[in-house]
């Protein structure tokens, strides 16, 4: 099962802005969009954005999502210590007929 | 409140079998497809299977097709994952998760350890 491509790690300073990317192809991100999930150690993932870029209630407005072609992006402004976590993108793949995940990006807030 | 609670994990020998359960509550169970996703220790998320609202369409990842089987009991608001011919590399936390334009709600997971 071919996954989506995410950078393994990103480091940014407190109160800075981080942009995480997720690259797929026309069978998944390009056609189906991408959802974003946040996972803190020892906890299950939590949905930040669905594949239509809708933010569930309770998710901070410091988080935003966008897509351009086959690449989806998650932007976090005003980084806080609690934003330090693993971030995963996910999509539906029309060719594989299944869900696919990115390998995850570990965000470190310095 | 949407809740998904997995159970049935544990230690099993290579080649053995295990059946996981997922109990759902807090939403209209028959309105949603449900996924099984796993996470090996220190690794990322891996999608395993999805079962449709009525249980008539079931999809699997290549890594588990033919060894794992997903089913649901809509009368009991439950999902099951039957895992056969288990391998050491199947060791992971197994999550059930609701599907709604994304995998939106996740259970806490149940740990499956395959070891001799």
């Amino acid at each position: 099962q071919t996954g989506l491509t995410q950078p393994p790690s990103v480091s940014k300073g407190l109160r800075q802005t981080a942009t995480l990317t997720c690259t797929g192809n026309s069978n998944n991100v390009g056609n189906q969009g991408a959802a974003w999930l946040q996972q803190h150690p020892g906890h299950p993932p939590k949905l930040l954005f669905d594949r239509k870029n809708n933010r569930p209630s309770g998710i901070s407005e410091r988080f935003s999502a966008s897509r351009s072609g086959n690449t989806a992006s998650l932007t976090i402004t005003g980084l806080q210590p609690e934003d330090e976590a693993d971030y995963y993108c996910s999509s539906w793949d029309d060719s594989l007929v299944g869900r696919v995940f990115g390998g995850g990006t570990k965000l470190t807030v310095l | 409140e949407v809740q998904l609670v997995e159970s049935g994990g544990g230690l099993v020998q290579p080649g053995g079998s295990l059946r996981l359960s997922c109990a759902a509550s807090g939403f209209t169970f028959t309105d949603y497809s449900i996924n099984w996703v796993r996470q090996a220790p220190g690794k990322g998320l891996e999608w395993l299977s999805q079962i449709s609202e009525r249980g008539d369409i079931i999809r699997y990842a290549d890594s588990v097709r033919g060894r794992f089987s997903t089913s649901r009991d809509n009368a009991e608001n439950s999902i099951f994952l039957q895992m056969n011919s288990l391998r050491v590399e199947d060791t992971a936390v197994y999550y059930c998760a609701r599907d709604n334009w994304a995998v939106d709600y996740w259970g806490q997971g149940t740990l499956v350890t395959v070891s001799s």
Side-chain angles (χ1 to χ4, degrees), chain B residues 2-109:
Chain B
V2 174
Q3 283 199 321
L4 296 157
V5 180
E6 304 91 341
S7 60
L11 176 64
V12 61
Q13 291 189 336
S17 297
L18 212 55
R19 188 187 193 222
L20 305 184
S21 300
C22 170
S25 61
F27 63 100
T28 303
F29 186 65
T30 51
D31 283 351
Y32 295 91
S33 297
I34 303 292
N35 299 278
W36 285 102
V37 179
R38 71 183 177 187
Q39 187 169 34
K43 302 297 185 182
L45 302 171
E46 180 187 12
W47 176 81
L48 301 178
S49 178
Q50 183 188 83
I51 186 166
S52 64
E53 296 89 328
R54 295 187 303 178
D56 54 343
I57 300 172
I58 307 171
R59 300 180 170 111
Y60 298 97
D62 291 342
S63 58
V64 302
R65 186 176 290 114
R67 297 191 301 127
F68 290 12
S69 175
T70 297
S71 60
R72 67 189 289 163
D73 183 341
N74 283 349
E76 297 292 329
N77 284 11
S78 294
I79 301 284
F80 307 98
L81 183 66
Q82 177 66 43
M83 305 186 294
N84 299 327
S85 304
L86 282 162
R87 307 165 179 165
V88 171
E89 55 266 34
D90 293 320
T91 294
V93 173
Y94 286 71
Y95 296 101
C96 62
R98 193 179 78 168
D99 206 286
N100 184 26
W101 296 110
V103 188
D104 64 350
Y105 283 94
W106 298 64
Q108 289 297 311

